[in-house]
Amino acid sequence: MRQVDIASISGLSETEAERRLRAEGFNELPSASRRSFLGIAFGVVREPMFLLLIAAGSLYLFLGSIEEALLLLFFVFVVMGITFYQERKSERALEALRGLSSPRARVIRGGDVKRIAGREVVRGDILIVDEGDRVPADARLAFSENLFVDESLLTGESASVLKDARGGAPAARPGDGQPFIYSGTLVVRGRGIAKVEKTGIATEMGRIGGTLEKIEPGDTVLQIQTRRLVLNLAIIGISLCVLVAVIYGATRGDWLAGLLAGITLAMATLPEEFPVVLTVFLALGAWKMSQSRVLTRRMPAIETLGAATVLCVDKTGTLTINRMAVGRLFAEHREFDLEKNIPANKIPEEYHQLIEYGILASQRDPFDPMEKAIRGLGEHELAQTEHLHDNWKLIQSYPLSEELMALSHVWQSPDGDEYVIAAKGAPEAIADLCHLSGEEMQALNREIGRLAAAGLRVLGVARARFRRSEALPSGQHDFNFEFVGLLGLLDPLRPEVPEAIKECYRAGIRVIMITGDYPGTAINIARQIGLRGGEGVVTGQEIEQMTAAELKRRVRSTNIFARVVPEQKLRLVQSLAAAGETVAMTGDGVNDSPALKAAAIGVAMGGRGTDVARESAALVLLDDDFSSIVRAVRMGRRIYDNIKKAMAYIVAVHVPIVGLSIVPLLLGWPLILMPVHIVFLELIIDPASSIVFEAEPEEEDIMHRPPRNRGEPLFGHRALSLSALQGISALAIVLFFYFFFHYRGHGLGTIRAMTYTTLIFANLGLILTNRSWSKTIFQTIRIRNRALWLLLGSVPVFLGLVLYVPFLKNLFLFEELKPVDLAVCFMAGFISIAWFELLKFLRAAQAKS
């Protein structure tokens, strides 16, 4: 560093640094510890639903129903295995994505310059930062030379900001012209010396981390409703079990048979399928989403995402790719739009000189995003031309300053007798160097305004020549500059964003942009992606002055929020939630993390996102593909639909089972169902509810419906009534067979076989009819579901075994049925759900008319 003598700086002594490290701790943020296998297992089984499942399995084991007990406990271990696999997969993926942990730091200690781990930096250390360095702690600059820092992790703004040691800003917060640099930010140009003022949790990044610790995500509505439903059904089932055992024993004097009847009824009514359905659906949903490069950190968020009414998106790195590119060129009074013309057309010759001098005014191997964009354009478009000068020698640089926001590079060509000077910087500064006339300045300002209104960051470029025989001047104004043109740079949109925004609107999801960038830039981006504007733009400064009630009112109608700081992002998410919205928040920076954690669904970008953002979110997009959010919404809606279908089926199928356990008891007739019959039924019910319905594809209109109300019950009165009616109609058919054959004087084995076979076919009918509540079986039968066909193919086989294999027939207390009997049972079973199919047909016809 030319302007400061490093040898004169002693810094902290090693002894003092070690003392401060012991007293204040390492310069790092606290991170979540890795969960052990036992920790994950305990987290799974301590859920009330799983406790009930294990209790039911243990009860069956105690009562001697080995098959049912093993089936239930098998589900426990299967789901635990899926959860453990998903947890480990999440941790491995996150570890692979870590890129900001403990950067190396260059410090001066005891008069010596040395490199140490970033976590060992202490308050009072003297830092040396150069282009490409990650700043390890919050520090105040003592010296800076052309120092630009990328603070997008904290502010959300993609453009780097100038840092000046002479700045006197009293508040140590991110921003342009300040003498402060912050932990986690990136030096993209220049160099500096700074004294560390804050480390670890005390830094700006740590302050955001402290906010995260105060935010605790609660249980989803689905979890709460399912727990309540399971608890209520468990109480009813156990109560009926005790009641039936007592009534049977008291009225018939056979307490052993009464106990058997009670056990049968308990097996028929205990709701072990509900927790299986909920957990298996979410676990398999998380696994399927991982195949689409979406990592699930909290499984219930998958279902909640399907209920999202508002999607809050950060601009930088979410809507845009967070990588600068040259968008437009202006030279010789003409403009060239690269977005419209490249790659269809090559850049015309009159713009080559503008790119040439833009490259000459940049670093040879740039780190600054804008300089990278300029050099990348030149290397792509000007290859094999005379406009690239890799063999020229850099003689001197003139850095930016507060007085003149422009820099110049002096070059020497191998065969020239003059120096070539290239300058670039703020258009006003370049115009000043070129001594433009008033009329020329007015014309230039019109062009600058047009480019800025299009959301572009504008740089001016100039050139000059100087005799090699003379000493170079001390300042840039001493050169005779000639104006070359303007470069318009932008942070390009992700190509998938506009279509994803349209999909959100079709699905009834409102999209809100929350950005740290300027209002003009935000409006331009909103126009490009098709974002609906609402009531203009609200800035962070305006949010700061609003009361909670005022902000709650504004968030209902405003879709663009600009110049927003982290605390305000969090406040916006909380205001939307208070307004009754189900909020999904996307982001990638540290500044997004409090809002990500507070939102109903936090969605972090995995590629460009920070560790803090990823660990705060419920979902992580591993490929940073914005359209993955829409796919996740689609999957969330499908999962919720299928959970409702499975629940409807479970309720419906248990009605005839419970009815067959109670009605004969009340009428004093022989019992039809024994524990072995319930076990066989559960072998159909469990895979049907947890596997067949989970594999159901989405309904055609799933993304053309408004989001569901999160407050609506999982199983409302209408749905419960229709499910119960399905079960009652199946029970009526089954009881008809029971009464008919009983009065005809058939033996109990025949009655039981006919009644049970009818119940099996009615069960299959309930599976088929509940695949859709809007389409008939004839329409859904063409929809592919491999698990369904496996079930439909295996049930008749197993039914044939228990009806015709002597050992099994005796175990089930059946008499052999004739083929005509089977045909009658088959028809009766499907007649039981005919009314619901007719209802769906009439509804569809009414909707068309």
Side-chain angles (χ1 to χ4, degrees):
M1 296 186 183
R2 301 191 308 268
Q3 301 174 23
V4 66
D5 182 10
I6 292 179
S8 65
I9 303 174
S10 61
L12 296 176
S13 66
E14 287 290 353
T15 303
E16 177 61 19
E18 290 176 7
R19 187 190 68 78
R20 294 190 182 190
L21 189 64
R22 287 194 301 270
E24 300 176 10
F26 285 107
N27 175 37
E28 58 189 4
L29 301 182
S31 59
S33 58
R34 182 167 175 164
R35 295 172 66 193
S36 65
F37 174 81
L38 290 177
I40 296 171
F42 179 71
V44 173
V45 300
R46 71 179 178 182
E47 286 286 324
M49 294 181 294
F50 269 100
L51 291 175
L52 178 61
L53 191 61
I54 294 171
S58 302
L59 175 63
Y60 295 151
L61 190 64
F62 175 76
L63 294 172
S65 183
I66 306 296
E67 297 89 346
E68 181 71 5
L70 291 177
L71 186 65
L72 292 181
L73 296 176
F74 170 75
F75 270 113
V76 172
F77 288 109
V78 166
V79 175
M80 190 182 297
I82 293 173
T83 306
F84 181 78
Y85 169 79
Q86 189 65 26
E87 182 88 13
R88 279 287 182 258
K89 184 180 178 68
S90 298
E91 289 187 352
R92 283 196 300 270
L94 289 171
E95 287 168 2
L97 290 168
R98 295 185 191 277
L100 299 178
S101 58
S102 193
R104 301 290 291 177
R106 196 150 58 111
V107 299
I108 303 174
R109 285 188 180 173
D112 296 326
V113 178
K114 54 179 64 178
R115 281 202 176 272
I116 63 172
R119 67 194 298 266
E120 295 175 5
V121 170
V122 298
R123 185 176 49 82
D125 260 330
I126 304 299
L127 295 175
I128 300 174
V129 291
D130 280 296
E131 186 174 293
D133 287 345
R134 183 75 64 180
V135 178
D138 290 4
R140 185 181 187 108
L141 289 165
F143 164 78
S144 63
E145 180 185 37
N146 199 28
L147 182 64
F148 280 78
V149 179
D150 177 357
E151 295 183 339
S152 61
L153 298 182
L154 298 175
T155 66
E157 296 180 45
S158 55
S160 55
V161 294
L162 173 66
K163 294 296 180 177
D164 192 342
R166 297 169 296 175
R173 297 293 299 276
D176 216 342
Q178 293 182 5
F180 300 100
I181 53 177
Y182 300 93
S183 175
T185 59
L186 187 66
V187 178
V188 297
R189 190 193 310 165
R191 61 191 71 180
I193 296 177
K195 184 177 181 180
V196 174
E197 294 189 343
K198 297 176 182 178
T199 62
I201 197 70
T203 63
E204 186 72 10
M205 187 182 290
R207 186 178 60 81
I208 296 173
T211 305
L212 291 177
E213 293 181 354
K214 301 174 185 175
I215 304 170
E216 288 297 332
D219 290 335
T220 67
V221 175
L222 181 62
Q223 287 175 305
I224 296 169
Q225 290 179 352
T226 306
R227 287 174 186 171
R228 187 183 303 132
L229 181 62
V230 167
L231 179 62
N232 291 340
L233 289 176
I235 293 172
I236 292 171
I238 293 170
S239 300
L240 285 175
C241 170
V242 175
L243 186 63
V244 165
V246 171
I247 291 175
Y248 194 101
T251 58
R252 303 192 185 187
D254 189 344
W255 289 96
L256 183 60
L259 180 61
L260 182 62
I263 292 171
T264 302
L265 184 59
M267 294 175 69
T269 56
L270 275 176
E272 72 274 3
E273 296 94 356
F274 286 106
V276 170
V277 164
L278 181 62
T279 311
V280 168
F281 274 45
L282 295 181
L284 290 178
W287 180 77
K288 288 179 179 178
M289 288 181 72
S290 71
Q291 308 305 299
S292 301
R293 307 286 293 162
V294 178
L295 185 68
T296 306
R297 290 185 53 76
R298 293 198 295 271
M299 283 194 295
I302 300 171
E303 171 273 324
T304 309
L305 190 57
T309 58
V310 172
L311 177 59
C312 295
V313 295
D314 179 54
K315 178 185 74 68
T316 304
T318 305
L319 300 177
T320 64
I321 62 176
N322 198 19
R323 187 174 66 244
M324 300 299 288
V326 180
R328 297 190 196 179
L329 304 171
F330 176 78
E332 298 185 12
H333 309 290
R334 294 177 60 189
E335 183 182 301
F336 185 78
D337 191 329
L338 280 84
E339 289 186 288
K340 292 180 180 178
N341 293 290
I342 298 294
N345 300 314
K346 300 293 285 185
I347 297 177
E349 178 67 32
E350 59 261 38
Y351 300 100
H352 288 188
Q353 194 175 82
L354 171 61
I355 302 172
E356 173 188 5
Y357 280 89
I359 293 172
L360 289 173
S362 303
Q363 296 289 333
R364 191 181 293 276
D365 185 19
F367 200 84
D368 181 276
M370 289 187 290
E371 292 189 349
K372 276 186 173 182
I374 297 168
R375 176 165 283 277
L377 178 65
E379 291 176 347
H380 185 266
E381 296 295 326
L382 304 184
Q384 312 302 320
T385 72
E386 73 279 9
H387 296 288
L388 297 181
H389 310 289
D390 291 335
N391 60 340
W392 285 17
K393 181 181 179 182
L394 181 63
I395 302 300
Q396 186 169 319
S397 296
Y398 293 86
L400 284 161
S401 66
E402 281 289 306
E403 294 77 22
L404 183 65
M405 293 295 292
L407 61 85
S408 296
H409 286 173
V410 180
W411 295 91
Q412 177 184 330
S413 66
D415 52 2
D417 59 356
E418 288 184 313
Y419 291 123
V420 175
I421 300 95
K424 80 172 190 303
E428 299 81 6
I430 294 297
D432 183 30
L433 285 176
C434 296
H435 305 292
L436 298 183
S437 66
E439 185 177 331
E440 290 173 322
M441 197 65 220
Q442 286 181 356
L444 183 63
N445 281 336
R446 285 195 295 271
E447 185 61 29
I448 294 169
R450 242 170 27 83
L451 294 174
L456 300 169
R457 187 176 177 89
V458 185
L459 293 178
V461 177
R463 65 178 181 176
R465 292 185 178 270
F466 196 80
R467 289 188 296 274
R468 288 172 59 176
S469 58
E470 297 182 21
L472 289 169
S474 59
Q476 299 179 73
H477 273 292
D478 295 318
F479 295 110
N480 186 22
F481 278 106
E482 174 190 350
F483 183 76
V484 178
L486 299 173
L487 295 166
L489 293 109
L490 51 79
D491 185 359
L493 284 178
R494 294 183 180 275
E496 72 275 5
V497 168
E499 183 56 38
I501 296 289
K502 289 180 184 177
E503 188 85 4
C504 288
Y505 287 143
R506 284 195 292 268
I509 300 172
R510 179 178 159 212
V511 182
I512 296 177
M513 184 197 302
I514 304 176
T515 177
D517 222 327
Y518 292 93
T521 305
I523 291 172
N524 182 264
I525 293 292
R527 185 169 60 248
Q528 292 182 59
I529 64 175
L531 185 73
R532 295 171 185 170
E535 292 185 3
V537 182
V538 172
T539 65
Q541 188 176 8
E542 292 172 323
I543 293 173
E544 198 70 31
Q545 297 169 355
M546 290 182 187
T547 64
E550 289 173 332
L551 185 58
K552 184 178 175 180
R553 181 182 61 81
R554 288 303 299 271
V555 296
R556 293 179 185 273
S557 55
T558 304
N559 294 333
I560 304 175
F561 295 86
R563 302 301 287 168
V564 174
V565 298
E567 295 89 341
Q568 293 163 348
K569 287 189 178 186
L570 174 59
R571 196 175 164 207
L572 284 170
V573 169
Q574 291 171 334
S575 295
L576 286 163
E581 305 285 3
T582 301
V583 184
M585 170 74 189
T586 71
D588 63 347
V590 175
N591 63 316
D592 300 322
S593 52
L596 287 173
K597 190 170 182 181
I601 317 105
V603 184
M605 300 297 165
R608 295 185 178 272
T610 62
D611 286 348
V612 176
R614 290 191 293 263
E615 293 182 4
S616 302
L619 301 176
V620 180
L621 307 184
L622 296 180
D623 53 7
D624 288 2
D625 186 347
F626 185 80
S627 62
S628 297
I629 300 171
V630 180
R631 290 198 299 272
V633 169
R634 183 188 299 271
M635 184 168 288
R637 291 188 174 191
R638 182 189 71 84
I639 288 172
Y640 189 81
D641 272 5
N642 289 348
I643 287 175
K644 290 191 73 172
K645 293 173 185 178
M647 297 294 191
Y649 161 71
I650 292 169
V651 170
V653 78
H654 276 77
V655 171
I657 296 173
V658 173
L660 276 179
S661 301
I662 294 178
V663 173
L665 178 67
L666 297 177
L667 296 178
W669 289 8
L671 295 177
I672 292 294
L673 297 181
M674 302 296 178
V676 67
H677 301 114
I678 304 297
V679 169
F680 186 83
L681 282 167
E682 291 294 341
L683 290 175
I684 303 172
I685 295 170
D686 286 344
S689 59
S690 61
I691 298 175
V692 172
F693 282 103
E694 192 283 327
E696 276 296 298
E698 65 203 37
E699 302 261 357
E700 290 178 358
D701 67 339
I702 198 165
M703 291 300 283
H704 291 81
R705 313 173 194 160
R708 74 174 193 277
N709 183 353
R710 280 185 76 201
E712 74 178 25
L714 173 65
F715 230 53
H717 294 299
R718 177 178 171 275
L720 187 61
S721 300
L722 285 173
S723 295
L725 282 174
Q726 291 179 32
I728 290 170
S729 63
L731 175 61
I733 292 289
V734 172
L735 287 177
F736 171 79
F737 271 85
Y738 184 104
F739 296 150
F740 178 78
F741 286 104
H742 182 73
Y743 279 114
R744 293 288 299 268
H746 286 272
L748 183 57
T750 302
I751 296 172
R752 180 176 284 116
M754 289 288 289
T755 304
Y756 190 74
T757 302
T758 304
L759 179 60
I760 293 292
F761 286 123
N763 186 358
L764 297 181
L766 289 172
I767 294 172
L768 292 172
T769 198
N770 280 291
R771 291 182 71 199
S772 173
W773 279 26
S774 59
K775 294 181 179 180
T776 65
I777 290 176
F778 298 104
Q779 293 171 305
T780 58
I781 203 71
R782 298 190 297 269
I783 299 174
R784 185 179 178 183
N785 185 331
R786 184 182 298 178
L788 172 68
W789 288 110
L790 286 173
L791 183 72
L792 292 180
S794 60
V795 168
V797 173
F798 288 113
L799 181 60
L801 292 176
V802 300
L803 284 174
Y804 298 106
V805 173
F807 170 75
L808 294 175
K809 184 177 67 173
N810 294 334
L811 181 65
F812 278 74
L813 305 177
F814 288 161
E815 291 293 333
E816 191 170 305
L817 297 182
K818 299 175 182 178
V820 67
D821 296 331
L822 288 175
V824 170
C825 292
F826 176 84
M827 292 181 62
F830 282 90
I831 287 173
S832 68
I833 48 94
W835 69 271
F836 191 59
E837 290 297 298
L838 180 61
L839 179 63
K840 289 190 283 186
F841 176 79
L842 294 175
R843 279 181 181 168
Q846 186 179 12
K848 287 181 181 179
S849 63

